Amino acid sequence: MSEGTVMAQSLYFTFVLSCLICGSYGLVSSGNGTTTVRSVDYNAATAVTPTERRDSTTKPSTTQSSKSINAPAVRLTSTTTSKVLTTTTRPPKTTTTANYSFNTEDLNEGIDKKVEKRVWNKEPEDEPLEFECPPLGLESLRVKDPQLRASSYKRRGLGPHRGRLNIQSGIEDGDIYDGAWCAQYEDKKQWLEVDARRPTRFTGVILQGRSSIWSWDFILTYKVQFSNDTLVWQPAMNGTKEAVFEGNQDTETPVLALFNESATVARYIRINPQSWYENGTICLRAEVLGCTLPDPNNIYAWQQTEQGTKDKLDFRHHNYKEMRKLMKSVTEACPDITHIYSIGKSHMGLKMYVMEISDHPGKHELGEPEFRYVAGMHGNEALGRELLLNLMQYICQEYKLGNQRIVRLVKETRIHLLPSMNPDGYEMAFKKGSELAGWALGRYSYQGIDMNHNFADLNKVMWDAIEFDFQNNDKSKLINHYIPIPEYYTAEDAFVALETRAVINWMQNIPFVLSANLHGGELVVTYPFDRTEDWAPHDDTPTPDNSFFRWLATVYASTNQVMSNPDRRPCHNENFQRYNNIINGANWHTVQGSMNDFSYLHTNCFDVTVELSCDKFPHASELPIEWENNKESLLIYMEQVHRGLKGVIRDKDTEAGIADAIIKVDDIDHHIRSVADGDYWRLLNPGEYEVTVSAEGYNPSTRMCRVMYEHYPTICDFRLTKTPKQRLKEILAKGGKLPKDLQLRLRQLRLRKLRASTKAINSRRAAASRKARGS
């Protein structure tokens, strides 16, 4: 290892430590009349290696054991089988309800003053910097690879197409997915060029260093030139002198340089490094700010208007206060189908608001499935938050207009939208702004917790139970659903975020059937399991419902306008198009304690993760396009909650619903349970299934159910008869007299038991007699 490398690593870790302890933010002068905005305010997770960026985890202590491994399980045995095939019919509407609801939130009430003081200081730097012109789109990939050129580059993986703000490198150094443009030569003649393809008034440049865990490269100062033909170049000026702009002091912090008011209108812009870190080389990632202008020489200028959306929605970034206002406006516009409630508070005291949309808001209707979208688990992944705010506006508007697809969805589904699971993290990122927050600021909770790793690791509980049963040849304690939470996780001093606890309580109180967790920074849909069994960095680890999870992921990915585009380029360092833009979570990277795995193993709910965009925090100008990219996907994914089986499990004698009955589908080693009124939903692909239902105190029942391709689920009801023992308990509890049929049944059971015991005694005596004669 060279002396320069040792010094670079020493400086790197010194910087990381300083970021973990404190942060700063301010305006600094470049010394030449220009303004540079340097933003350094990382939270406890600023030092993000590529491994951390991809959500990998470390193996937990083996001393953390769970007493829930030996939790009792119900044996499912079939005593009666009916070969009647059900048909798909439209489910009847019913008003029978169970109390699965949270109290309504009054958004007319002001925000608590103490919370307001903690979260929002009144200093000017607490407001995000508003750009005069938006980004051209290097980070969002709106600027295509052919629009980027360079004077030279070291290799393909460090070519000009990699010089995009926040682009992330892979683990391996030297592959085709490196983390910056790097010049082949170290001199002041090197440049990175961007072709805007239209006359543009350039207003600024944002620079970063190289994303790498092996190298420490960034630009200290640089010049900027403009051109209309790439032949004649005009430098950015500071009075009568050529302007020199300040660059970076580290590899990750975005630094903004704004041009003076007489900025040049041109088509091309070049970034020309003048000095760089002494132990590094010329490497940079960039974004360019500019306002495109109409070309007076182009008679087809109308064809250049960018594709947006016809929907009249509020396309901007909403902080906590603005989010409250928007949600309040939706409930005022559609009071008959909306209900706002809070599932808890963040560490800083911000409420975690949920918008419920249903034709009977606040109630669980018998037979109506519960659906949820969760966004903002990582606070800086802001697109999901805005998409859910857009979605609630859109549903309200279209419902009032009589859009039959939306009307049907609202009347047949209870929809829950949580736009911000990590409101504290979002506020941190929002204060910096979409382009200056960097890759990590706001990802974690205020306490520094990554909530994507913060749920109870029930995978370990399940796999330990399977191993125990295998070694002892005893399946009586084997569990495959409703796995209890380990005791260590529920302790008061457990390192569990308040936000995570609130979501778990939410999951336990509402019988969700289907969910999606909206993230950002990639373009792919992942499905459980998210954790590998043997702690391999990545390995395909499917659930028993793998085929249906793949269907869910495909539904979203195939209808997303960007994911389904065969000509799109990879976001960072993975080409998910070779997997059709879906992948098993553990096969991408292992994640311990994910919400998806927890949801599948602890509740009835199936959950996937949707990575919505290459850009975690897209500029507000990108939001209309992102809405169009995802609108159909968001709607059609919700409709999948109606695929499979549904029904009500009742007592044959009383017709009362039976709660907590276990529904087993033959050949799928994952069961679900009925809820309070006896209704259940089992997500399945089309096909014919043997379904067995059992409940404590009842005889199991089995029947064949066929899932069709129609929009509506197959209704597969069950009526269970009580066991004689249960009937006896209930009669004796009431002090009643046994009916004759039960007396006869008990007599038969006693005789059978007597015969069996007599036979066993005689067998033992005969064996003893033979042994005695042999000796």
Side-chain angles (χ1 to χ4, degrees):
M1 185 180 294
S2 67
E3 181 179 351
T5 304
V6 173
M7 181 180 293
Q9 291 186 349
S10 175
L11 287 169
Y12 175 78
F13 288 111
T14 302
F15 164 72
V16 169
L17 184 59
S18 66
C19 290
L20 292 174
I21 297 173
C22 62
S24 63
Y25 178 90
L27 294 172
V28 297
S29 172
S30 65
N32 51 30
T34 63
T35 302
T36 301
V37 179
R38 180 168 294 118
S39 167
V40 186
D41 190 12
Y42 284 5
N43 58 11
T46 301
V48 182
T49 66
T51 304
E52 291 168 332
R53 284 195 299 269
R54 299 174 62 209
D55 290 339
S56 64
T57 62
T58 54
K59 187 172 182 179
S61 172
T62 55
T63 60
Q64 291 183 338
S65 61
S66 168
K67 295 185 179 180
S68 60
I69 294 175
N70 297 323
V74 179
R75 283 187 184 274
L76 299 181
T77 57
S78 175
T79 58
T80 60
T81 303
S82 171
K83 294 296 181 180
V84 178
L85 294 177
T86 59
T87 58
T88 304
T89 58
R90 182 165 182 165
K93 201 67 175 177
T94 176
T95 57
T96 304
T97 61
N99 185 23
Y100 291 112
S101 63
F102 288 74
N103 293 331
T104 302
E105 282 290 327
D106 183 6
L107 295 187
N108 290 314
E109 294 181 358
I111 301 171
D112 185 279
K113 296 299 181 184
K114 293 181 180 179
V115 174
E116 193 167 17
K117 186 176 181 180
R118 282 199 302 267
V119 180
W120 300 283
N121 299 319
K122 299 304 180 182
E123 300 298 326
E125 58 265 28
D126 281 344
E127 293 298 322
L129 185 67
E130 293 188 9
F131 300 141
E132 180 184 0
C133 291
L136 294 189
L138 275 76
E139 181 178 8
S140 68
L141 304 186
R142 187 165 52 176
V143 172
K144 307 303 180 185
D145 287 353
Q147 294 175 249
L148 300 174
R149 292 200 312 146
S151 54
S152 65
Y153 53 90
K154 283 190 172 183
R155 57 176 183 273
R156 173 65 179 167
L158 293 170
H161 65 293
R162 303 296 294 177
R164 300 172 180 272
L165 189 71
N166 284 322
I167 202 166
Q168 302 298 298
S169 67
I171 296 291
E172 298 178 9
D173 196 25
D175 62 12
I176 63 171
Y177 299 118
D178 222 314
W181 161 67
C182 292
Q184 183 177 3
Y185 309 106
E186 294 187 18
D187 59 49
K188 296 183 179 182
K189 297 180 181 180
Q190 304 306 306
W191 44 261
L192 176 69
E193 178 184 296
V194 181
D195 177 6
R197 289 187 172 172
R198 292 171 60 179
T200 302
R201 183 166 64 88
F202 295 106
T203 59
V205 167
I206 303 173
L207 237 58
Q208 273 179 319
R210 178 181 175 183
S211 167
S212 174
I213 61 174
W214 311 107
S215 304
W216 183 261
D217 303 307
F218 52 89
I219 301 303
L220 295 174
T221 60
Y222 62 98
K223 295 180 179 179
V224 175
Q225 294 99 32
F226 310 98
S227 176
N228 284 316
D229 56 10
T230 71
L231 299 176
V232 178
W233 290 90
Q234 174 68 38
M237 302 297 291
N238 177 28
T240 59
K241 298 181 179 179
E242 190 171 357
V244 178
F245 301 93
E246 286 190 11
N248 303 96
Q249 298 298 316
D250 59 73
T251 59
E252 288 298 327
T253 307
V255 175
L256 167 67
L258 296 175
F259 306 148
N260 58 35
E261 294 182 0
S262 59
T264 305
V265 174
R267 172 174 168 173
Y268 303 91
I269 182 172
R270 277 183 179 176
I271 301 170
N272 173 213
Q274 296 298 297
S275 62
W276 45 93
Y277 177 59
E278 60 180 347
N279 291 318
T281 188
I282 298 175
C283 294
L284 64 86
R285 293 175 287 168
E287 182 61 87
V288 175
L289 307 180
C291 297
T292 56
L293 305 176
D295 186 352
N297 300 317
N298 185 3
I299 62 174
Y300 303 105
W302 60 273
Q303 293 180 341
Q304 295 181 337
T305 56
E306 295 193 5
Q307 183 181 2
T309 179
K310 295 179 180 179
D311 297 323
K312 305 300 182 183
L313 308 176
D314 189 3
F315 294 115
R316 59 193 175 98
H317 287 292
H318 299 78
N319 64 5
Y320 181 77
K321 297 177 181 179
E322 294 299 322
M323 182 184 73
R324 280 168 46 98
K325 291 179 182 178
L326 186 146
M327 295 178 74
K328 180 174 178 288
S329 70
V330 172
T331 58
E332 290 173 345
C334 294
D336 295 335
I337 63 168
T338 59
H339 166 226
I340 295 178
Y341 62 90
S342 170
I343 62 172
K345 293 182 179 180
S346 69
H347 180 80
M348 295 294 286
L350 302 180
K351 291 186 177 181
M352 301 167 66
Y353 291 113
V354 176
M355 172 69 77
E356 178 193 337
I357 304 176
S358 170
D359 60 338
H360 291 90
K363 299 178 182 178
H364 170 76
E365 299 178 72
L366 186 70
E368 185 169 286
E370 309 262 358
F371 177 91
R372 74 169 182 258
Y373 272 131
V374 175
M377 172 181 277
H378 295 145
N380 62 333
E381 295 170 13
L383 179 57
R385 175 192 183 104
E386 297 307 322
L387 287 178
L388 292 192
L389 295 177
N390 293 153
L391 182 61
M392 60 183 72
Q393 290 176 280
Y394 178 80
I395 291 177
C396 173
Q397 292 176 8
E398 294 300 306
Y399 184 86
K400 292 170 70 175
L401 291 173
N403 182 327
Q404 286 305 299
R405 182 185 190 185
I406 300 302
V407 170
R408 184 175 64 243
L409 191 62
V410 171
K411 289 188 174 182
E412 297 177 358
T413 319
R414 191 180 181 205
I415 302 165
H416 305 257
L417 307 177
L418 173 61
S420 187
M421 180 177 167
N422 181 6
D424 295 349
Y426 176 83
E427 293 300 319
M428 282 188 274
F430 177 82
K431 290 174 183 178
K432 294 300 180 189
S434 59
E435 309 308 310
L436 298 178
W439 188 252
L441 177 64
R443 172 190 177 91
Y444 298 78
S445 73
Y446 188 85
Q447 298 167 284
I449 298 174
D450 186 338
M451 292 180 222
N452 202 36
H453 302 248
N454 199 223
F455 287 79
D457 183 8
L458 302 184
N459 304 63
K460 182 180 187 303
V461 176
M462 177 184 65
W463 288 325
D464 285 351
I466 293 172
E467 180 68 19
F468 176 85
D469 294 328
F470 176 79
Q471 292 178 355
N472 294 274
N473 195 26
D474 178 14
K475 294 186 177 181
S476 63
K477 298 181 177 63
L478 188 60
I479 49 178
N480 66 12
H481 72 295
Y482 271 51
I483 297 176
I485 298 175
E487 290 184 4
Y488 73 83
Y489 186 88
T490 59
E492 290 186 8
D493 59 348
F495 195 54
V496 182
L498 290 175
E499 298 88 341
T500 308
R501 294 183 189 271
V503 170
I504 291 176
N505 180 65
W506 187 37
M507 291 179 174
Q508 293 173 333
N509 278 279
I510 294 181
F512 292 112
V513 178
L514 180 61
S515 174
N517 184 10
L518 306 183
H519 284 246
E522 257 299 349
L523 279 167
V524 68
V525 183
T526 72
Y527 52 90
F529 287 121
D530 289 334
R531 186 199 141 174
T532 57
E533 186 172 358
D534 58 358
W535 291 103
H538 54 86
D539 186 31
D540 189 35
T541 311
T543 68
D545 286 285
N546 190 57
S547 63
F548 192 80
F549 272 117
R550 287 181 60 83
W551 166 260
L552 290 173
T554 300
V555 163
Y556 199 102
S558 63
T559 54
N560 181 280
Q561 292 186 12
V562 180
M563 291 187 202
S564 60
N565 181 1
D567 298 324
R568 76 172 181 88
R569 58 152 286 168
C571 290
H572 299 285
N573 49 59
E574 298 273 2
N575 183 8
F576 291 109
Q577 286 182 291
R578 57 181 174 164
Y579 307 116
N580 294 319
N581 304 299
I582 70 170
I583 191 171
N584 173 260
N587 202 25
W588 180 17
H589 54 263
T590 187
V591 175
Q592 177 200 10
S594 78
M595 186 167 75
N596 294 357
D597 288 2
F598 178 86
S599 180
Y600 182 69
L601 294 174
H602 187 65
T603 75
N604 288 337
C605 187
F606 287 29
D607 208 338
V608 304
T609 291
V610 182
E611 299 283 351
L612 294 163
S613 170
C614 301
D615 189 348
K616 286 185 175 184
F617 203 140
H619 189 266
S621 61
E622 304 273 359
L623 295 180
I625 299 172
E626 292 292 358
W627 166 249
E628 279 301 313
N629 290 340
N630 288 277
K631 178 172 69 174
E632 177 60 24
S633 304
L634 291 167
L635 294 174
I636 199 169
Y637 184 83
M638 284 193 288
E639 292 169 343
Q640 303 313 301
V641 77
H642 297 284
R643 184 176 290 275
L645 300 177
K646 66 176 285 186
V648 182
I649 301 167
R650 302 181 188 274
D651 185 300
K652 187 176 182 180
D653 297 325
T654 66
E655 289 296 313
I658 301 174
D660 214 31
I662 297 178
I663 297 93
K664 172 186 176 182
V665 178
D666 195 37
D667 296 330
I668 300 180
D669 190 22
H670 181 80
H671 312 331
I672 63 164
R673 301 198 185 193
S674 62
V675 298
D677 288 328
D679 44 344
Y680 77 94
W681 307 262
R682 184 53 165 102
L683 299 176
L684 292 166
N685 283 323
E688 188 175 316
Y689 300 92
E690 182 180 283
V691 182
T692 301
V693 172
S694 62
E696 186 176 357
Y698 290 88
N699 294 310
S701 176
T702 299
R703 64 182 299 186
M704 300 300 295
C705 302
R706 179 179 292 165
V707 177
M708 309 297 283
Y709 286 88
E710 283 79 358
H711 166 75
Y712 298 106
T714 297
I715 298 175
C716 201
D717 294 329
F718 288 82
R719 282 170 171 76
L720 305 185
T721 58
K722 290 188 178 71
T723 62
K725 184 177 180 180
Q726 181 65 24
R727 290 178 63 194
L728 178 60
K729 282 183 179 179
E730 292 179 359
I731 292 171
L732 294 178
K734 296 177 182 178
K737 184 178 179 181
L738 296 179
K740 289 185 178 181
D741 66 321
L742 188 54
Q743 292 179 22
L744 178 61
R745 177 65 175 159
L746 289 173
R747 190 177 299 114
Q748 291 173 343
L749 289 173
R750 290 193 194 101
L751 288 173
R752 186 182 302 171
K753 187 176 181 180
L754 179 61
R755 292 192 193 101
S757 60
T758 302
K759 184 178 180 180
I761 292 172
N762 291 338
S763 297
R764 287 196 296 269
R765 287 176 177 174
S769 177
R770 287 193 299 272
K771 185 177 181 181
R773 285 198 301 270
S775 61

